[in-house]
Every structure is written in C-alpha cells, then in structure tokens.
Amino acid sequence: MEEDQQGGASGPAIPIEGGPGYIVLAATPIGNMGDASARLISWLGSADIVAAEDTRRLHRLVTSLDVQVTGRIISYHEHNEAAKTPELLAQVQSGKVLLMVTDAGMPAVSDPGFRLVEAAAAAGVRVTAAPGPSAVLTALALSGLPTDRFCFEGFLPRKAGERAGRLSELAGERRTMVFFEAPHRLEVMLRALHTAFGPGRAAAVCRELTKTYEEVIRKPLSGLLEWAEAAEIRGEIVVVVAGAPEAAPGTPEDHVAAVNELMGQGLRMKEAVALVAHDVHVSKRELYGAVLAARG
C-alpha cells in the first residue's frame, strides 16, 4: 500500500509542518479490549489533543491497552459540546491533531461528535476516521434479521406519548430497525413495540455484545416481552426489529407457512395462528382451519 505525506499504511497521520491540523474520529471497543484497532492505539499515543466523552473511561481504556497519552486530554460530552466545539475547532485550525473518542463505539453515532464534525465541515477542516467496533452493525449481523436494508433509530423517547408517536410513524417501515435501550427500560420499550408493531413481529435483543456474558435472544415481540417480564436484565442493550411485511392479505392458505415457522420456534399452533392472523389481517378461524387442512 502506498503511503502519502499524511501518514503510513498502519500508523497515524503526521501533520504537514506548519500546515493545518485535522480531526480523527476513532472507534473504541464496545466490550472486548481485543477489538481495539492498531490505529486507535497509535492515535491515542500521538494526538495533540484527545477529546473524550468520559475521561475516567479513557483512563481505563489506555490502561487496558498499555498506552501513554502524550497529548492534552479534554472532556467532551453532550452537556458541554456546544461550548467546547469552537475551542476545539480553533485548536485544530492552529495545526493541532485532535482525536475524538467516546465511551464505546463510533463517535457521532448516538454519541458526542456530530457537532464537532458539523462545525469542521462548515469551516473546511479535514475530518478522518479510524473505524472499528459498532454496536449497531454487530447487533444487526447477529440478529438473524434481514441486513440488506436497515435504519438506526437510537433511543426511543422516554415519555409514553412521544414514544407511541414515534413508533406509529415506524409501524410501516419496511427496513430492519435498530434501537438502543437501557436495561431498566427494556420491558417498557418491548411492550410499546408489541403494541405498535403487533405481537408476531420478529425481533432480537442483543445484550453485552463482545463481552463474557454476550446474549442474543431471537423471538417474536410477544416472546421477547414475556422474557423481559421474567428476566433480570443487565448490561448494554441493542434491540433489532424486522421491518413491516408487505401488505398481502391473500387467502388463509397463503399464510400457513408463516404459522409453521412460528411453531418451529416453539409456539403452540393457537398462539402462532393468532400472531400471524393479526399481522396479515385474516380471520383467525379461517387461518386455523387452513393450517389443520395443510397438516392433513
């Protein structure tokens, strides 16, 4: 691989003497420290300024990676980013190299960093990235749900009315949807999804990704809600939900395969029929009869 004047193939970029500085957005591990990239490690040890969402977590990160930060460390989070952004941008424009890291994953994706990138773009300041771990993509890949088209919705509103309104807007979304949620609010969230999308919508709860107790629970929303009601839920949570099915009421016989698929996941026939009938708007009685007829 060719090297240019801004840096080598594996190490950090080196600013041109007397030239403008730039910003590096660096992804940090979402759980397993073994996922830290060589570029992240190199940047941590060489950047002039390290802007961190939580400086205590940054200290734990560099200690785990056995890296010595030589640059100035600045706290940069949702409560001060509006005030800090002009100061940081001025430092970069004076020739400094700024590394932006968050607690986990990629800066600017449901984390601080967007304001800084927006301001840098407006000012013509260069922004590059050291990509790496992503809870969104990891959960999507592990969910078993379609990955060809998806959207990231972040955290749903905490207030019930606002949350219901947001989900009403998403009820017909055909793409796979990815959400973040706190463990103590997961049951409430799943109940809201159950109400808005129907009990039979396929989904997955991904917990503690890349960590020792990683867990992926794949069930219809009704099953996930039952699980959440009975479980003691801890750790970082990502919820992945299948997109809305094509509107195709058809005949009851057209939906026998969907019932059989749910039964294959452990649901009783009566439960599976009720879920599918709700989702595709056909008569439960007629669908039940079609399933019985297909089973001979």
Side-chain angles (χ1 to χ4, degrees):
M1 182 180 295
E2 293 184 359
E3 299 182 3
D4 63 21
Q5 61 182 346
Q6 289 293 316
S10 59
I14 305 301
I16 301 172
E17 188 68 29
Y22 50 92
I23 298 167
V24 182
L25 306 178
T28 54
I30 60 175
N32 191 316
M33 288 298 134
D35 294 332
S37 71
R39 295 182 68 205
L40 166 65
I41 294 171
S42 188
W43 282 118
L44 285 168
S46 63
D48 299 308
I49 304 169
V50 178
E53 181 179 8
D54 186 329
T55 56
R56 294 167 300 180
R57 290 204 180 192
L58 173 64
H59 177 72
R60 290 197 291 269
L61 173 68
V62 298
T63 299
S64 298
L65 298 177
D66 194 24
V67 179
Q68 179 67 44
V69 176
T70 58
R72 177 186 173 199
I73 296 175
I74 295 178
S75 177
Y76 185 81
H77 48 74
E78 62 176 330
H79 301 297
N80 72 2
E81 59 179 331
K84 291 276 190 180
T85 295
E87 173 192 339
L88 292 178
L89 194 59
Q91 289 290 318
V92 175
Q93 289 173 315
S94 73
K96 302 294 186 183
V97 175
L98 168 65
L99 175 67
M100 174 77 225
V101 295
T102 60
D103 292 347
M106 195 71 190
V109 181
S110 199
D111 271 327
F114 167 73
R115 285 181 184 271
L116 185 61
V117 176
E118 182 182 41
V125 171
R126 180 189 172 204
V127 182
T128 186
S134 165
V136 175
L137 296 180
T138 303
L140 181 68
L142 294 177
S143 69
L145 297 173
T147 59
D148 53 336
R149 297 179 66 224
F150 68 92
C151 59
F152 174 58
E153 290 294 326
F155 287 92
L156 288 171
R158 295 190 183 188
K159 294 183 178 179
E162 294 177 6
R163 183 169 56 242
R166 177 75 60 79
L167 291 177
S168 177
E169 295 173 358
L170 293 171
E173 174 59 65
R174 299 289 301 280
R175 296 170 294 179
T176 300
M177 294 165 279
V178 184
F179 302 88
F180 286 163
E181 192 50 276
H184 64 279
R185 293 197 302 267
L186 180 62
E187 183 181 334
V188 171
M189 179 211 190
L190 290 173
R191 184 169 288 107
L193 292 173
H194 182 280
T195 299
F197 298 163
R201 186 76 70 92
V205 171
C206 305
R207 191 182 72 83
E208 292 290 82
L209 291 172
T210 77
K211 300 179 184 177
T212 302
Y213 298 104
E214 177 181 278
E215 184 177 25
V216 180
I217 304 97
R218 306 175 185 90
K219 294 177 181 288
L221 286 171
S222 59
L224 288 177
L225 180 55
E226 290 179 4
W227 166 78
E229 290 171 341
E232 183 179 354
I233 301 165
R234 297 179 180 177
E236 303 292 331
I237 302 291
V238 185
V239 179
V240 187
V241 183
E246 291 187 40
T251 66
E253 288 75 17
D254 294 332
H255 307 293
V256 169
V259 173
N260 289 333
E261 182 178 351
L262 290 176
M263 291 172 62
Q265 297 175 15
L267 271 67
R268 293 179 300 174
M269 187 165 73
K270 184 177 181 180
E271 295 171 330
V273 166
L275 293 177
V276 173
H278 178 280
D279 285 348
V280 300
H281 308 291
V282 299
S283 163
K284 286 192 292 185
R285 180 179 60 80
E286 294 178 0
L287 180 56
Y288 194 89
V291 174
L292 288 177
R295 293 168 66 88

